[in-house]
Amino acid sequence: MPRQTPILLATKLLPISSSLRPPAVLAAARASYHHAPATDAHHLLDETPRRRAGAIVRALAALSSAGDSNVVASLHCASLKSGAVLDPPVRTSLLTAYARAHDAGAAQALFGEAVAPDMIMWNAAISALTLNRRYDNAAALFRRMARELGEFDSTTVVVMLSGASRAGKLRDGMALHCMATKRCLDADHLNLWNALVDMYAKCGDFYSSEAVFQSMPCRDTTSWNSVISGSIFNGLAEVSAWYFKEMARSIFQPDEVSLSSVLSVCSRPDDLFSFGESVHAFAAKLGYEDTASCSVMNSLMTLYSEFGMPETAKKVFASTLNRNVVSWNAMIKGLVQNERVSEALTVLWEMRLESQPDVATLVTVISGCGDQGLVSEGKAVHGYIIRKGHLHEEPSVGNSLLDLYLKCDEPSTASLLFRTMPRRDLISWNTMISGYSRNDSLRKEAQSMFKWLLSEGLHCSLTTMLAVIPSCSSPEELSFGKSLHSFSLKCGLASEVLAVNALMHMYISCAEPLAAILLIQKIISVSDIVSWNTIIAGCTQNGLYKVALEAFHFMHSSLAINPDSITLVSILSACGKLNLQSLGKSIHCMILKQFLASNLRVKNALLDMYFRYGDTRSAELVFYSMGDKNLCSWNCMISGFTQNNKGWRALQFYQKMEDYVPNEISIVGIICACTQLGNYKQGKSIHGHVVRSGLQNNVFISASLVDMYCKCGRLDIAVRVFEASAEKSIAGWNSMISAFGFHGHGLKSIELFWKMIDSGTNATSSTFIALLSACSHSGLIDEGWKYYCIMSESFGIIPTPEHHVCIVDMLGRAGRLQEAHKFVESLPSQQAHGVWGALLNACSSNSELKMGESVAKHLLHLEPENSSYYVTISNLYAYREMWSGAVQVRNILQDKGLVKPHGHSIVG
């Protein structure tokens, strides 16, 4: 008789239908015939039938946890060849082994060939399906078992409860509970009670889980572990700690599962750290520090690392006897979390001597290198990954490397890696797109990468949209942003809050806040605080302060969404810009009421708001009531007092900030205070600090120094500071142009202006204000008119009221009042509103009474409460020795209860 191959033997003895034939069985059978299997199962043919069956069962039990379907199939083939597969224990063991190897198809096929399966085999088949998360199939098989076999036992219910627990099927679990109670299966079956505790907890009904636990006729360690892990699963950290304490008082000692579970919850920020330390002491008392298992020690390392105690975690790690990969990973992750990446790399290289790093190890280390910009260290890890071939295992390793290179500003390396990765997934594409979007100079590449992804026919996810939308952040990119909006609608993301929030931010960045407002109106029912913060902050940044306030009012009153620190910072800024003092104070009260006053950003926003109101006293009260202060707080005080013409107070605060090193903002603020006070000595001292600190090349500081020296009468030093600046900003050019003009060197201002244009710096509206002011101070009338005209004709800058004031001042200084009057009358009414005041000042300077009276009458009609107009016309009467007129105007000023602005002198 010709020798039959295992594949033919398997086909004859076990005729599996084509729809159920497990490919793994046939492939392994083929392998077992051509190559001796690792288990060397052929020797089983030489044993007696009983010994053959027993040996196969023992081999399957040893291999069932290995998770290798091919090895199980090899034993299956050997059992077919020996005839042992006909024995029910062998068939059941094979079925269980396939299930644990995650080959549910083979398990189903094997069960389907059983002629008269007993209850044990039915339970094994159902267990195979639940283990592989195929609960619906398991439920169908359970119903079939009840029909065909006519019975089931407590093991069946336990298996089904475990499946319901994994699938979150609470109603099915409750039905199984009722069935078990009705059949009295729960009388003394402890495993069933434990399964019920676990099922209710994992299905989110912890109340019922506790009820079952309390009613149990007896308990074991698994019972306590089930209720502890169940409370953790439901986010009840304090409850899990209480049950652990109760377990410790019971006759059952906590085991590794109990200790590891409760330590895991102590590592979360739930004020349970001290309890975690006591659990550590308890574990030491029970001897778990010296056991072969290291799960408790791993949990302790995580606990100490989470609470910023890496040194303690290192001591635990050093005392761990039998470290496994999880131990090494816990130590490395803890160091990375505490920003000690260099130490984590050292541990990684030590790890290679004991056990091989896995994917989790490498991803953790690479992400740490990326966060801290350690590109050379990251490249060393990359080299190790290539040598070990880890890039071929999972895309996550390559994805973490892509993120590293993009964060470390090496997009070309990231691009090369992306194109040569042996395995990449949608996360790889998303990582590249997101990295390019974060880089201002690579936004076009992000958009190109997105188009490439679509051309490859890949599915675009929500994460992809969130990665590419930030690449549109300027008006020039609005068109592509609109196409992304259309594409998101096509993909069904119109109601996804995250996508809509990103689109709103995109429209605001592209100077289209109204489009963002239209978007939020479509998702009001599902909008969150991020949605409204995007709108409120965006409107504030775009000068739409009233719209921001309306959005805040609607959010707070109609949606009952509580504002956070980001909301309040934007709203306080809007109140300050609009000078809405009563509303600002009301919001301040709300902040105190909701205990948000401890937030530093909110406190600093309050300081800025009160300074904008000119309420320096309230600003000081807020400052001194602050528990914590940062450099920004001190900068707010310095700049706030300077803006309110209280430079001497700004100097006092500058001298008090001993615990903080002044930064660029502090120095610019104090230089402006010195400029305001004309305090040359103090300004020169600040300049010395700037040089010692190496900040002299900062463009804002150098511009402030130029302005300060100029206004303190030291044009020569101002020129030297300007010429020594390595980088000349537009602010620096403007300050120098203004400085020459302030000292009557108008022609030098014009010369410097053209030098600036030749350097490639674009002129701004402020540049022409400085230039026109220089022409005014130097009497360069024709030049002034010339640059006023070319401002709009050649540079595309539309004249503002400030430019008009410069022209009126220039003509007034030259005594050409009629020309100035005609110029003001030629302006549109909305632009001439503030220019009439400059004309009144010109009339006062030239003692032009008739025109002055006419202009004053016009101004007082527009702004009857402006005291400065009354003072100016009174001074004009006094200059012409028309004392009765001067007294009459002063009496009107007093009758209206108006106060003359206080004078200010920089002398003593």
Side-chain angles (χ1 to χ4, degrees), residues 717-771:
I717 303 178
V719 171
R720 288 208 301 270
V721 171
F722 176 74
E723 290 178 347
S725 300
E727 182 185 354
K728 295 176 175 62
S729 66
I730 185 62
W733 287 102
N734 291 349
S735 294
M736 203 63 236
I737 291 169
S738 178
F740 279 126
F742 190 76
H743 285 266
H745 302 298
L747 292 175
K748 286 190 177 180
S749 293
I750 294 172
E751 182 183 343
L752 192 63
F753 169 78
W754 288 112
K755 189 175 180 181
M756 180 193 80
I757 298 301
D758 292 339
S759 72
T761 305
N762 294 324
T764 64
S765 178
S766 298
T767 310
F768 281 96
I769 291 173
L771 189 60

Side-chain angles (χ1 to χ4, degrees), residues 277-293:
E277 287 184 308
S278 66
V279 174
H280 185 180
F282 188 69
K285 184 179 177 182
L286 293 175
Y288 280 101
E289 286 189 330
D290 302 320
T291 58
S293 176

Side-chain angles (χ1 to χ4, degrees), residues 363-383:
V363 169
T364 300
V365 170
I366 295 165
S367 66
C369 291
D371 291 337
Q372 293 201 353
L374 303 175
V375 65
S376 58
E377 290 84 349
K379 286 181 176 179
V381 179
H382 189 176

Side-chain angles (χ1 to χ4, degrees), residues 154-335:
S154 57
T155 303
T156 320
V157 179
V158 169
V159 169
M160 285 301 299
L161 285 171
S162 69
S165 174
R166 289 190 182 95
K169 301 280 188 177
L170 178 60
R171 290 177 63 86
D172 288 7
M174 293 171 71
L176 288 164
H177 188 179
C178 292
M179 291 167 63
T181 304
K182 186 176 180 181
R183 295 193 177 213
C184 299
L185 297 176
D186 58 347
D188 295 310
H189 201 290
L190 190 55
N191 289 340
L192 179 54
W193 285 97
N194 292 340
L196 285 167
V197 171
D198 182 71
M199 182 276 296
Y200 280 117
K202 296 291 173 60
C203 290
D205 186 359
F206 187 68
Y207 177 81
S208 297
S209 178
E210 279 191 302
V212 172
F213 179 79
Q214 297 297 337
S215 62
M216 288 176 72
C218 60
R219 296 173 186 147
D220 61 3
T221 303
T222 303
S223 312
W224 287 98
N225 289 347
S226 296
V227 76
I228 289 169
S229 62
S231 56
I232 293 170
F233 182 85
N234 286 273
L236 304 170
E238 298 285 350
V239 175
S240 67
W242 184 83
Y243 273 113
F244 180 84
K245 292 174 187 175
E246 291 297 304
M247 180 184 184
R249 293 191 189 103
S250 71
I251 61 172
F252 299 101
Q253 289 284 11
D255 62 3
E256 291 178 46
V257 177
S258 325
L259 292 164
S260 299
S261 298
V262 80
L263 284 170
S264 71
V265 78
C266 290
S267 65
R268 301 170 192 173
D270 288 318
D271 300 324
L272 288 175
F273 176 68
S274 59
F275 178 69
E277 287 184 308
S278 66
V279 174
H280 185 180
F282 188 69
K285 184 179 177 182
L286 293 175
Y288 280 101
E289 286 189 330
D290 302 320
T291 58
S293 176
C294 53
S295 62
V296 175
M297 307 303 283
N298 296 345
S299 298
L300 283 168
M301 282 187 277
T302 303
L303 168 70
Y304 289 118
S305 297
E306 288 285 344
F307 280 91
M309 300 174 67
E311 290 301 327
T312 309
K314 285 168 74 174
K315 289 178 183 177
V316 174
F317 178 72
S319 66
T320 305
L321 296 177
N322 296 297
R323 300 167 186 158
N324 57 15
V325 175
V326 178
S327 311
W328 289 95
N329 287 354
M331 190 67 253
I332 290 169
K333 184 180 179 181
L335 291 169

Side-chain angles (χ1 to χ4, degrees), residues 31-33 35-47 55-56 59 63 70-71 74-79 81:
S32 69
Y33 177 69
H35 306 283
T39 55
D40 196 18
H42 289 294
H43 76 280
L44 296 171
L45 296 174
D46 300 328
E47 302 287 346
I56 291 172
L63 292 171
N70 289 330
V71 176
S74 175
L75 281 168
H76 185 181
C77 227
S79 65
K81 194 170 183 179

Side-chain angles (χ1 to χ4, degrees), residues 620-682:
E620 279 198 78
L621 288 173
V622 171
F623 180 80
Y624 285 118
S625 67
M626 292 166 70
D628 295 325
K629 302 177 181 68
N630 59 7
L631 184 58
C632 180
S633 311
W634 289 93
N635 289 347
C636 284
M637 298 304 288
I638 292 168
S639 60
F641 278 118
T642 303
Q643 290 162 10
N644 283 275
N645 293 321
K646 292 186 177 181
W648 59 278
R649 291 289 285 140
L651 280 170
Q652 287 179 337
F653 272 86
Y654 177 76
Q655 290 160 358
K656 286 179 183 177
M657 53 185 293
E658 297 173 356
D659 297 335
Y660 295 92
V661 178
N663 63 0
E664 295 88 341
I665 299 172
S666 324
I667 292 169
V668 168
I670 204 63
I671 291 171
C672 291
C674 293
T675 305
Q676 188 183 100
L677 296 169
N679 194 333
Y680 169 71
K681 183 179 179 182
Q682 184 67 45

